[in-house]
Amino acid sequence: MQSLYSNGFEKIYDAMYQTFIDYDDEFDFYSNIIKKHHKKNVLEIGCGTGNLAKHFINSNLEYVGLDLSEDMINLSKLKNPSGMFIHGDITTYALKKPLEATIITGRTSSYLLRNKTIHSALKSIHNNLTTDGLLCFDFIDASRFIKSIKEGKKVYHEACFENNCYFRESYMKNNDLDNFMFNWDAIYYQKTNSDPIKLTEDKSVVRAFTKNEWELFLYLNDFTLLEFIDRKSYAFDTYVVVAKKN
Ligand SMILES: C[S@@+](CC[C@H](N)C(=O)[O-])C[C@H]1O[C@@H](n2cnc3c(N)ncnc32)[C@H](O)[C@@H]1O
C-alpha cells in the first residue's frame, strides 16, 4: 500500500480510510488506554493523514504525529494547522523530549517486515519514551488471518472526494514468504460514466504476526507486556498490544 501514501494518492487514502475506519471509535479506544495508565502526552507513529490526530489535538492530551511519508505529513498539517507533526522513520526517529506514551494504529506494524527492523523500531520507541512509558499498537493476527487468505481474499473499497469517485480492488494471498508475510495487490480506479480509468497498481508485501512473536520481541527490547486486546477491525483479525517500558 506504500504508493497510496504519496504523490497525490494520500488524498484518495484519506477519503477511503474514513469509509472503513471509525476514527471516533479509534480515538475512544486509544485515549482510554492512555488515560487508564495516567499518561498525559502521546506520540502517534504512522499518523497518516491526521484523522486520529484531529481528536487528540482537541483533547487534553498533548499530541505529536510522526510519519515516513512527507506527503502524509503535509496533508496532516493542512487538516490540523494547530497540530505538531514530524517527518521520521520508526526505526531511527529522535524526539526533542521523551513522551509518556506511543501508539501505532491502523496496522502500521505490518510494514515491519524483518526481525532486524522490528528490533530497531522497538529500540527507537524505547529511547523516546519516559520511564514506565506506555507502548500500544495493533497487528494483524497471523494465527487467524493467514488461514482466512489461504485460498486468496478479495476486498473492495470506494470513496469520493472533490467531485470524483474512486475504488480499490485488493487481493491478498497466502504464500511461501518468510515470517507470515503475504502479498497484497491492489488496483486503483477512478469511476466514470463509462469504463473506470485505472490509476495505479500497488504490489506490497506486508506481515502478520503471532502473539508469541510479539511477546519475545517486547521482552528482548526491555518492554513488559501488559495485555493483548482482541479487536475486531474491517478486513483483518487484529490484536492490540499494551506494553510498558522497563
Ligand atoms: C496503514 S497507514 C495507517 C495510518 C493511520 N495510522 C491511520 O489509521 O489512518 C500506515 C502509515 O504508516 C506510515 N509508515 C510506513 N512505514 C513507516 C515507517 N517506517 N516509519 C513511520 N511511518 C511509517 C505510512 O506512511 C502510512 O501513513
Side-chain angles (χ1 to χ4, degrees):
M1 296 302 99
Q2 293 293 22
S3 74
L4 189 58
Y5 302 147
S6 53
N7 302 322
F9 282 98
E10 68 279 4
K11 291 182 188 144
I12 300 180
Y13 165 98
D14 189 41
M16 206 168 265
Y17 268 59
Q18 289 184 68
T19 66
F20 57 82
I21 295 187
D22 178 346
Y23 287 99
D24 294 341
D25 186 60
E26 287 280 278
F27 173 71
D28 287 344
F29 180 82
Y30 286 101
S31 63
N32 282 337
I33 294 173
I34 293 166
K35 283 180 198 154
K36 180 177 156 192
H37 291 274
H38 310 290
K39 305 303 179 199
K40 291 183 287 306
N41 52 47
V42 60
L43 169 72
E44 183 191 7
I45 300 177
C47 62
T49 54
N51 287 317
L52 203 49
K54 177 179 78 184
H55 294 279
F56 278 109
I57 292 163
N58 292 327
S59 76
N60 52 8
L61 289 160
E62 186 189 334
Y63 171 92
V64 178
L66 178 142
D67 204 284
L68 183 63
S69 157
E70 286 194 62
D71 290 329
M72 292 300 234
I73 288 292
N74 289 340
L75 189 50
S76 287
K77 285 182 181 162
L78 196 69
K79 289 170 59 176
N80 305 285
S82 63
M84 160 79 97
F85 297 96
I86 49 180
H87 175 229
D89 188 314
I90 189 171
T91 59
T92 54
Y93 72 97
L95 300 177
K96 284 190 184 132
K97 62 160 192 176
L99 295 180
E100 296 177 7
T102 299
I103 59 171
I104 314 166
T105 75
R107 271 82 48 189
T108 298
S109 59
S110 316
Y111 295 112
L112 303 172
L113 299 185
R114 306 279 166 206
N115 289 7
K116 198 176 162 207
T117 313
I118 294 164
H119 289 297
S120 304
L122 288 173
K123 272 192 185 71
S124 300
I125 294 166
H126 199 279
N127 288 341
N128 287 283
L129 274 173
T130 53
T131 310
D132 286 340
L134 185 75
L135 169 60
C136 189
F137 62 94
D138 62 357
F139 68 91
I140 301 172
D141 173 27
S143 308
R144 290 174 288 178
F145 185 72
I146 294 294
K147 286 181 197 157
S148 80
I149 59 168
K150 191 169 176 221
E151 311 302 335
K153 179 172 175 169
K154 284 188 180 150
V155 182
Y156 175 90
H157 288 118
E158 65 173 67
C160 299
F161 80 98
E162 290 174 358
N163 303 322
N164 282 314
C165 288
Y166 303 87
F167 66 96
R168 161 174 100 176
E169 288 175 343
S170 298
Y171 183 66
M172 297 171 226
K173 62 180 182 297
N174 198 349
N175 48 32
D176 296 331
L177 296 176
D178 290 344
N179 298 336
F180 297 120
M181 293 190 279
F182 57 94
N183 288 107
W184 180 346
D185 298 343
I187 307 181
Y188 296 85
Y189 298 91
Q190 183 174 338
K191 283 188 169 179
T192 69
N193 290 333
S194 54
D195 289 341
I197 303 165
K198 183 173 164 180
L199 298 177
T200 187
E201 226 171 293
D202 188 17
K203 289 184 183 293
S204 292
V205 172
V206 288
R207 180 172 177 177
F209 297 87
T210 64
K211 290 202 276 187
N212 287 347
E213 284 178 306
W214 277 116
E215 267 169 10
L216 199 49
F217 284 129
L218 290 164
Y219 171 81
L220 291 173
N221 289 283
D222 296 323
F223 284 93
T224 300
L225 174 66
L226 301 177
E227 60 176 325
F228 285 118
I229 302 170
D230 194 352
R231 187 155 189 250
K232 280 283 148 272
S233 92
Y234 76 99
F236 305 107
D237 301 296
T238 299
Y239 278 113
V240 174
V241 173
V242 184
K244 183 174 76 74
K245 170 175 165 167
N246 293 340

